[in-house]
């Protein structure tokens, strides 16, 4: 529960971070164990990769090659030992190092993620401000529409609608593949609209709350222009919850990119992971789960640190 | 803004029922859409013109009747010649049933956990927080996959699995509410009079949390419904031949060049139900003045 430490009472920022780090360590350890167990409980890769076409001897040979014929306890010890040495094993399907496969796939995903965050902020912040300040204008109505539609419509439906309209209907943009920047437009829009909706809602709500505070009214009374008040006084106060929201939506973003990469056939981390899930490629699956947990935990930690830096009450230990 | 007491309880800071304002037209429209779709889902076996799973290769990929398709298939047919109207009605039935049951289970779990964490605090709270953290840090896809592998791919297995998705936000919300209510003088008084924790939670705390739960339920339901659709879309939710909205979209997207309506029909149904529920949820949370984060 991020933000639960807002009323922290022991030891200021260091103690606060210490407790967070401890909890993060527990979480990552749990993910490590569950990745191993979950992969093995959910099925056997040979059944999915070779469609039951293997003879008993071939199965045994493959199992021996990947160490899957050993007792589970031995497998687990080897798994933890290898990870400690930075070795995440080879893919059963492609017989290549897992790290190499993820390294190849991370490019498109990072481009997609960066573009999404950029578009989200470029779209969400101004619309949020407009929605708070000029509620009854056309722009304000547009802002609330984005906030509403983006919030309610799921990624896979939005993706299909965008393809139907912009690829099939108008023929403006490519729907699948990753040959150029144009291929990233629809995937980025799909992910960004949902996130921008959250940003619009929170920016608007926080700005409206901030505008009622005493220091804002004082600034207005002293003759600062309304625009100046919004930019210099109200906006900084409203940023804290907005940062939290963007941070907390990162796992939603990752889950969304699993779907978006599948729909738009982007060969990114998400598609690699979904493929591994479908074929039960243990090493690829395990690395995916651990990486996912690390990213989510790291982002939550960063949100907490931002909180600490932006809110002096937490920095001082309240 | 006149405040009215919630019957049978003292007013608290977070829950106020406003004096009756007329229900705006767009909310009526949303209610109408939801009632219509719910009736369609309920009556699907009786009002569907065709068997949803029956294929007819002579009538493959016919466009909707108004666009020049076969007059018997109002919304057209898919790549196997199945009637899209019948399929959508049955799919809606499946999706709504799973979403509704999943949402009820998730609300029950979340409420129980939130009550325990918010009232007992201390160790219970800490342990529950770690569980929530861990669940958030795991890809949901993996949890579902393991569940399906262990318990089978039956529709009944999907319900507890989709309910895992929303419980933590309900728990967080209830926990916060309980902390607020537990600090009130009447709870302290009940404790001083020797009431047991179970009685206090049931008789004094829970009634205050109920309006918030109602709103949370309306806001959560589309999410749970869509989760089932997303899973079925990826091919790991409802299994064929059972129709589910997500599955129809997942299979239909490969037909987009041959017949856009195969995917557009289920998309339209999902859009209608989620947008209508969102309108109602927003209105309800405004009306009950629930602060949500």
């Amino acid at each position: 529960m991020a933000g639960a430490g807002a009323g922290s009472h022991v030891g200021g920022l260091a103690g606060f971070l210490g407790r967070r780090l401890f909890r993060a360590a527990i979480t990552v350890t749990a993910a490590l164990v569950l990745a191993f167990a979950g992969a093995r409980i959910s099925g056997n890769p040979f059944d999915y990769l070779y469609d039951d076409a293997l003879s008993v001897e071939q199965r045994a040979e493959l199992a021996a090659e990947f160490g899957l014929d050993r007792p589970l306890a031995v497998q687990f010890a080897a798994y933890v030992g290898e990870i400690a040495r930075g070795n995440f094993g080879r893919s059963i399907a492609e017989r290549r190092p897992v790290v190499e496969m993820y390294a190849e796939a991370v490019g498109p995903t990072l481009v997609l993620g960066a573009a999404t965050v950029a578009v989200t902020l470029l779209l969400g912040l101004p619309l949020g401000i407009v929605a708070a300040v000029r509620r009854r204008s056309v722009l304000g109505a547009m802002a609330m529409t984005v906030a509403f539609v983006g919030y309610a419509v799921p990624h896979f439906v939005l993706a299909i609608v965008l393809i139907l309209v912009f690829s099939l209907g108008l023929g403006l943009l490519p729907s699948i593949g990753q040959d150029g920047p144009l291929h990233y437009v629809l995937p980025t829009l799909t992910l960004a609209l949902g996130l921008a909706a959250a940003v619009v809602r929170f920016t608007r709500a926080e700005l409206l709350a901030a505008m009622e505070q005493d220091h804002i009214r004082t600034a207005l009374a002293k003759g600062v222009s309304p625009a100046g008040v919004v930019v210099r006084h109200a906006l900084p106060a409203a940023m804290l919850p907005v940062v939290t929201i963007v941070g907390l939506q990162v796992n939603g973003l990752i889950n969304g990119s699993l779907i978006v990469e599948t729909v738009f056939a982007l060969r990114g981390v998400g598609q690699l992971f979904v493929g591994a899930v479908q074929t039960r490629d243990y090493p690829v699956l395990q690395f995916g789960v651990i990486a996912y947990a690390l990213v989510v935990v790291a982002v939550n930690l960063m949100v907490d640190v931002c909180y600490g830096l932006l809110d002096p009450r937490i920095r001082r230990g309240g | 803004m006149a405040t009215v007491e919630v019957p049978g309880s003292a007013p608290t800071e977070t829950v106020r029922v406003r004096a009756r304002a007329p229900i705006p037209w767009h909310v009526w429209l949303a209610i109408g859409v939801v009632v219509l779709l719910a009736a369609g889902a309920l009556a699907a076996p009786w009002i569907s013109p065709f068997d949803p799973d029956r294929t007819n290769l002579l009538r493959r990929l016919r466009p909707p009747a108004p666009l020049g398709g076969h007059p018997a298939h109002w919304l057209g047919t898919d790549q196997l010649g199945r009637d899209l109207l019948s399929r959508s009605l049955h799919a809606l039935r499946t999706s709504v049933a799973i979403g509704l049951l999943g949402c009820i289970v998730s609300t029950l779990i979340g409420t129980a956990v939130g009550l325990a964490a918010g009232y007992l605090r201390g160790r219970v709270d800490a342990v529950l927080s770690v569980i929530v953290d861990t669940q958030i840090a795991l890809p949901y896809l993996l949890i579902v996959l393991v569940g399906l592998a262990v318990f089978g791919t039956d529709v009944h297995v999907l319900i507890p699995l989709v309910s895992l998705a929303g419980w933590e936000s309900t728990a967080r919300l209830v926990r916060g509410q309980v902390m607020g209510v537990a600090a009130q003088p009447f709870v302290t008084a009940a404790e001083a009079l020797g009431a047991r924790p179970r009685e206090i939670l049931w008789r004094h705390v829970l009634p205050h949390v109920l309006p918030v739960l109602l709103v949370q339920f309306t806001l959560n339901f589309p999410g749970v419904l869509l989760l089932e659709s997303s899973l079925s879309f990826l091919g790991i939710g409802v299994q064929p031949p059972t129709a589910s909205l997500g599955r129809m979209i997942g299979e239909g997207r490969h037909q987009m060049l041959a017949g856009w309506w195969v995917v557009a029909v289920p998309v339209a149904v999902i859009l209608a139900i989620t947008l209508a529920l969102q309108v109602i949820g927003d209105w309800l949370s405004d009306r009950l003045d629930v602060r949500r984060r």
Side-chain angles (χ1 to χ4, degrees):
Chain A
M1 300 188 183
S8 78
H9 39 84
V10 197
L13 189 61
F16 168 71
L17 273 181
R19 282 194 304 279
R20 289 276 148 187
L21 273 174
F22 178 66
R23 256 167 69 171
I26 295 182
T27 309
V28 172
T29 312
L32 202 72
V33 176
L34 290 170
F36 178 85
R40 275 154 188 79
I41 292 172
S42 66
N44 187 310
F46 308 139
D47 295 342
Y48 293 88
L49 286 170
Y50 299 102
D51 263 344
D52 299 330
L54 291 179
S55 69
V56 179
E57 294 80 41
Q58 286 171 319
R59 276 183 85 96
E61 199 187 314
L62 266 180
E65 184 188 338
F66 289 96
L68 299 177
D69 54 345
R70 294 173 293 174
L72 276 180
V74 178
Q75 284 186 39
F76 185 70
Y79 160 77
V80 175
E82 289 298 313
I83 288 179
R85 260 173 275 149
N87 182 6
F88 287 88
R90 286 184 307 141
S91 154
I92 297 175
E94 298 198 18
R95 295 161 179 269
R96 290 198 296 145
V98 166
V99 177
E100 190 184 302
M101 289 166 68
Y102 274 98
E104 278 169 22
V106 82
T109 303
L110 282 183
V111 171
L112 180 61
T116 301
V117 171
V119 172
T120 298
L121 293 179
L122 285 177
L123 198 69
L125 281 181
L127 285 181
I129 297 172
V130 169
V133 182
R134 296 248 181 281
R135 249 181 287 185
R136 304 209 178 278
S137 69
V138 177
L139 261 180
M142 209 179 91
M144 291 320 286
T145 311
V146 168
F148 179 76
V149 174
Y151 199 74
V153 179
H155 290 125
F156 73 99
V157 173
L158 197 57
I160 299 287
V161 171
L162 288 177
I163 291 180
L164 280 176
V165 174
F166 290 102
S167 296
L168 292 178
L170 303 174
L172 286 177
L173 291 163
S175 61
I176 57 169
Q178 52 186 37
D179 301 330
L182 279 183
H183 283 89
Y184 285 91
V185 174
L186 291 184
T188 303
L189 273 182
T190 307
L191 283 176
L193 269 180
L195 203 54
V199 171
V200 170
R201 279 179 173 231
F202 276 82
T203 307
R204 173 177 172 270
E206 292 301 326
L207 263 186
L208 286 178
M211 293 299 276
E212 283 173 11
Q213 303 243 324
D214 289 339
H215 71 276
I216 303 284
R217 267 189 276 161
T218 311
L220 280 173
K222 282 169 75 178
V224 182
S225 72
V229 169
V230 169
V231 172
R232 231 170 305 146
H233 298 284
L235 208 51
M239 280 332 290
L240 182 63
V242 175
V243 167
T244 320
I245 268 315
V246 174
L248 290 179
Q249 300 278 332
V250 162
N251 16 1
L253 196 65
I254 299 177
N255 279 319
S257 74
L258 293 184
I259 289 201
V260 166
E261 286 180 14
T262 307
V263 175
F264 292 100
L266 279 179
R267 287 185 301 278
V269 171
Q271 221 197 15
L272 186 59
F273 182 72
V274 171
V277 162
Q278 277 157 357
T279 56
R280 316 294 198 269
D281 196 339
Y282 295 162
V284 181
L285 220 166
Q286 285 161 353
F287 184 84
V289 174
I290 295 165
Y292 181 99
L294 278 176
V295 169
V296 170
V297 163
V299 168
N300 279 343
L301 269 177
M302 263 152 55
V303 169
D304 284 337
V305 172
C306 282
Y307 242 97
L309 293 178
L310 287 175
D311 190 337
R313 281 170 300 185
I314 298 173
R315 190 167 54 215
R316 282 200 312 265
Chain B
M1 198 206 326
T3 58
V4 179
E5 256 189 37
V6 180
S9 65
T12 65
E13 269 188 331
T14 45
V15 181
R16 291 194 185 95
V17 178
R18 288 183 194 164
R20 289 203 172 274
I23 300 177
W25 66 268
H26 66 276
V27 176
W28 276 120
L29 184 70
I31 293 174
V33 169
V34 169
V35 168
L36 197 71
L37 288 175
L42 263 180
W46 298 282
I47 59 171
S48 295
F50 292 89
D51 178 342
D53 301 330
R54 207 192 65 194
T55 59
N56 182 347
L57 294 181
L58 295 180
R59 291 189 191 163
R60 282 190 307 179
L61 290 172
R62 296 292 176 97
L67 299 176
H70 193 283
H73 300 283
W74 291 1
L75 297 180
T77 59
D78 67 5
Q79 69 281 7
L80 297 174
R82 296 176 293 197
D83 181 54
L84 280 175
L85 173 62
S86 309
R87 254 183 113 55
S88 297
L89 285 171
H90 280 84
L92 189 62
R93 192 178 162 87
T94 314
S95 298
V96 167
I98 294 177
L100 206 57
L101 286 172
C103 200
I104 291 173
V105 174
S106 116
T107 306
L108 288 178
I109 300 175
T111 310
V113 170
L115 283 176
Y119 190 70
L120 299 174
R121 313 280 286 267
R123 287 231 177 101
V124 181
D125 196 14
V127 169
L128 291 171
S129 305
V130 169
I131 295 177
V132 169
D133 279 359
T134 309
Q135 198 198 315
I136 292 176
L138 282 177
Y140 185 71
L141 213 54
L142 182 83
I143 301 177
V144 172
L145 209 69
V146 172
L148 291 176
V150 175
F151 302 107
T153 49
D154 199 69
V155 170
H156 301 108
V157 179
L158 271 179
I159 294 166
L161 285 179
V162 292
S163 69
L164 277 181
W167 73 273
E168 84 269 1
S169 68
T170 307
R172 205 177 303 189
L173 189 76
V174 170
R175 173 178 172 272
Q177 293 282 321
V178 170
M179 285 180 170
V181 177
Q184 303 261 329
F186 66 87
V187 173
T188 322
E191 278 168 352
L193 287 170
R196 280 167 302 178
R198 191 156 46 108
E199 277 173 5
I200 294 178
L201 280 179
W202 194 249
R203 302 250 303 268
H204 302 285
V205 177
L206 195 59
H208 286 273
V209 183
L210 276 181
V212 185
L213 274 181
L214 179 69
V215 174
Q216 176 72 6
F217 187 89
T218 1
L219 291 172
N220 234 356
F221 174 59
V224 178
L225 185 129
L226 292 174
L227 186 68
E228 179 274 314
S229 302
S230 309
L231 290 175
S232 303
F233 174 79
L234 286 175
I236 55 175
V238 175
Q239 297 300 313
T242 310
S244 132
L245 292 171
R247 191 151 199 110
M248 288 175 73
I249 297 175
E251 288 170 0
R253 80 187 164 94
H254 301 297
Q255 309 293 331
M256 274 197 287
L257 283 174
W260 53 268
W261 56 87
V262 178
V263 72
V265 169
V267 160
V269 176
I270 284 202
L271 282 180
I273 193 155
T274 42
L275 291 178
L277 284 171
Q278 184 74 32
V279 168
I280 298 174
D282 275 357
W283 171 74
L284 214 56
S285 71
D286 269 2
R287 193 180 165 82
L288 294 176
D289 204 10
V290 176
R291 291 171 46 111
R292 64 194 160 87
R293 289 265 155 143

